[in-house]
Amino acid sequence: MSPPVQPVASDEKLPRSVDVVVIGAGIAGCTAAYELAKRDFAVALLDKGRVGGEQTSRNWGWVRQQHRDLRELPLSMKSLEIWGTLNQEIGAETGFRRTGLLYVTTRPADFAQWEAWTLRAREYQMHSRVLTPAEAKEMTPGSVPDWIGGVHSPTDGRAEPSLAGPAIAEAARKLGATIHQGCAARGLETEAGKVSGVITEKGSIRTQAVLLAGGAWSGLFCRRHGLRLPQAGVKSTSFSTQPAPEVATGGLSMPDVTIRRRLDGGYSVGLGGRGLVELSPQGLMYARDFWPTFKARRWGLTFGIGRSFFDGPEMLARWSFDKPTPFERHRTLDPGADPKLVQLGLTRLAEHYPALKGLKVAHAWGGFIDSTPDGIPVISAVDTLPGLYISAGYSGHGFGIGPGAGRLAADLVAGDPPIVDPHPFRYSRMIDGTDLGAPGMM
């Protein structure tokens, strides 16, 4: 079952030419379109399905700096600044609230890792507070476990995945961008080795700049043009509950389960680190790139054979631009929720908080997380194909970083000074392997 998403109307007429075409209307694409429209660029925002239909509406809704990979931390800090004024700026509700995020644990390895990260993050002027067992217990009234400690970031927050992407897309339209849902981009047109247009199922758009923000589909799109973009997909499960007692005002991470308070009085519930990896041609193609990641995270992963080998974003495919493509066969990538993980989440919540025993599930859904080998996104120009830019590979934590990522992508497309150093996000590392390794909090 797909999570509910605020509907967005499409513009009827496809423009003949624009300054920038953005492929993919998740939060990375919507925020980039908004930032470009603010700078008076003519923008067309395309999606094969609907705005926010895939991972943007399927995440936990955390807006965090805490426990980011340190290469990503400056961008996440800028993102949080943008989130703080975004509702007022666009005149719409994204659900953002600066409620803080809290992590507590009974596991010494977790606590040691958090302590080490907190010390290193101070170099970036990011100040989380390490909690003693007594402080962790005081901040989780009603909890049962004897926490050995925790960490608290009071400046982090939460937002609503069902609202944020659509609200930002509408803000882009108010500034002149056009939105085209159910309009798959089939491929790129080139002239003299440079991007000259985008071929869609509804016609072609002339342009000299394309931002590919297609989430898990980005690697498949790139392969059609002979470009390498290592991605690995992990199927995840999350769910929302009906209104429940307030045991946390923001995000709370506990062993095996996380919760985030929702505007409707329920919780979004996630199972940290757990997911399903299916054997696929793309997975085999990039197995060497991802081997360090799989070794580091295999404890929470299960492996299997399913449709991914023959269908979806990880298959091998060639297609003609004048016929339907794999993108049109999958308007919305909608893997089902794993009932066992839903039950595990409910069980753990009841064990940790008796007040949450008997919670009713409102919606349960699956997601498809597109990861890079080092766990941080590509936000970059593609030097071998001038005019093409990529914003993808957010590895399960793109929602909170979305506004900063959109700003950085717009800076690169526009040739403006970047909001942060773009070097960690460069596309070239996907080709030459420099600085790649298992993701972490580095």
Side-chain angles (χ1 to χ4, degrees):
M1 179 189 298
S2 297
V5 183
Q6 184 71 27
V8 174
S10 291
D11 290 284
E12 293 183 7
K13 188 175 181 180
L14 199 69
R16 291 185 177 182
S17 66
V18 294
D19 298 319
V20 186
V21 173
V22 178
I23 300 173
I27 195 162
C30 290
T31 54
Y34 172 65
E35 290 290 341
L36 288 163
K38 282 171 64 176
R39 303 175 206 196
D40 295 325
F41 283 83
V43 180
L45 177 61
L46 313 180
D47 200 280
K48 62 183 176 58
R50 56 178 178 162
V51 171
E54 293 191 343
Q55 271 314 106
T56 286
S57 61
R58 296 164 189 267
N59 66 89
W60 300 349
W62 287 40
V63 178
R64 66 179 173 89
Q65 307 158 97
Q66 189 161 267
H67 297 162
R68 291 277 185 182
D69 187 304
L70 294 179
R71 293 168 294 183
E72 195 179 76
L73 182 55
L75 187 57
S76 64
M77 294 174 75
K78 291 292 186 181
S79 292
L80 191 64
E81 291 178 14
I82 298 170
W83 276 112
T85 60
L86 195 55
N87 281 357
Q88 182 178 3
E89 182 177 318
I90 67 176
E93 179 64 85
T94 66
F96 177 75
R97 303 291 187 271
R98 197 181 297 273
T99 50
L101 295 180
L102 175 64
Y103 292 67
V104 292
T105 190
T106 56
R107 300 168 178 166
D110 289 345
F111 187 66
Q113 189 178 39
W114 299 345
E115 277 192 307
W117 183 90
T118 300
L119 287 174
R120 295 196 63 188
R122 289 175 184 170
E123 301 171 14
Y124 298 83
Q125 303 305 308
M126 166 59 195
H127 296 282
S128 294
R129 185 164 68 96
V130 176
L131 304 177
T132 66
E135 290 171 329
K137 196 69 173 178
E138 183 181 357
M139 294 192 71
T140 55
S143 65
V144 171
D146 293 324
W147 310 120
I148 64 170
V151 63
H152 180 235
S153 173
T155 57
D156 285 347
R158 70 184 206 216
E160 291 295 338
S162 63
L163 300 177
I168 296 167
E170 292 285 15
R173 177 166 24 218
K174 290 178 182 178
L175 296 174
T178 58
I179 300 172
H180 309 276
Q181 298 167 106
C183 182
R186 292 176 170 175
L188 304 175
E189 293 180 318
T190 61
E191 293 178 2
K194 300 179 180 180
V195 169
S196 61
V198 175
I199 303 165
T200 83
E201 63 180 289
K202 296 181 179 179
S204 295
I205 307 174
R206 298 285 294 177
T207 187
Q208 294 184 341
V210 172
L211 177 66
L212 175 60
W217 298 91
S218 301
L220 180 62
F221 189 95
C222 284
R223 287 198 295 277
R224 178 61 179 83
H225 293 277
L227 299 170
R228 173 184 168 87
L229 181 62
Q231 288 182 299
V234 179
K235 293 186 177 181
S236 63
T237 291
S238 300
F239 61 95
S240 63
T241 75
Q242 294 180 359
E246 185 174 84
V247 301
T249 58
L252 171 61
S253 174
M254 300 168 284
D256 295 326
V257 66
T258 69
I259 58 176
R260 189 263 306 172
R261 190 69 170 172
R262 300 166 57 91
L263 290 183
D264 62 12
Y267 293 98
S268 288
V269 183
L271 293 304
R274 296 180 181 270
L276 170 65
V277 177
E278 288 188 346
L279 183 67
S280 71
Q282 178 175 276
L284 295 173
M285 184 183 306
Y286 298 130
R288 180 175 295 181
D289 300 79
F290 282 93
W291 182 242
T293 303
F294 287 140
K295 286 196 298 182
R297 295 191 171 176
R298 64 183 305 169
W299 70 268
L301 299 175
T302 57
F303 299 86
I305 299 175
R307 292 182 58 189
S308 294
F309 202 91
F310 306 102
D311 200 14
E314 297 194 321
M315 67 178 180
L316 290 181
R318 297 282 295 178
W319 59 87
S320 171
F321 295 151
D322 60 356
K323 296 178 181 178
T325 70
F327 311 115
E328 288 136 280
R329 293 198 295 271
H330 292 275
R331 294 296 179 183
T332 300
L333 193 59
D334 188 23
D338 183 337
K340 294 181 180 178
L341 290 181
V342 173
Q343 186 56 53
L344 174 64
L346 292 172
T347 299
R348 290 291 182 265
L349 286 178
E351 291 172 352
H352 295 331
Y353 274 98
L356 298 182
K357 186 175 182 179
L359 278 180
K360 301 297 183 182
V361 175
H363 295 90
W365 59 85
F368 196 86
I369 297 169
D370 66 306
S371 299
T372 60
D374 58 4
I376 62 174
V378 174
I379 310 171
S380 173
V382 177
D383 293 338
T384 55
L385 184 51
L388 177 62
Y389 302 80
I390 295 175
S391 179
Y394 284 88
S395 305
H397 45 83
F399 180 74
I401 207 172
R407 175 81 62 86
L408 177 59
D411 291 340
L412 298 175
V413 173
D416 292 336
I419 188 174
V420 297
D421 180 5
H423 183 75
F425 312 108
R426 67 199 183 283
Y427 170 72
S428 63
R429 78 186 198 277
M430 298 291 108
I431 307 303
D432 58 31
T434 53
D435 297 337
L436 285 182
M441 294 188 286
M442 296 190 68

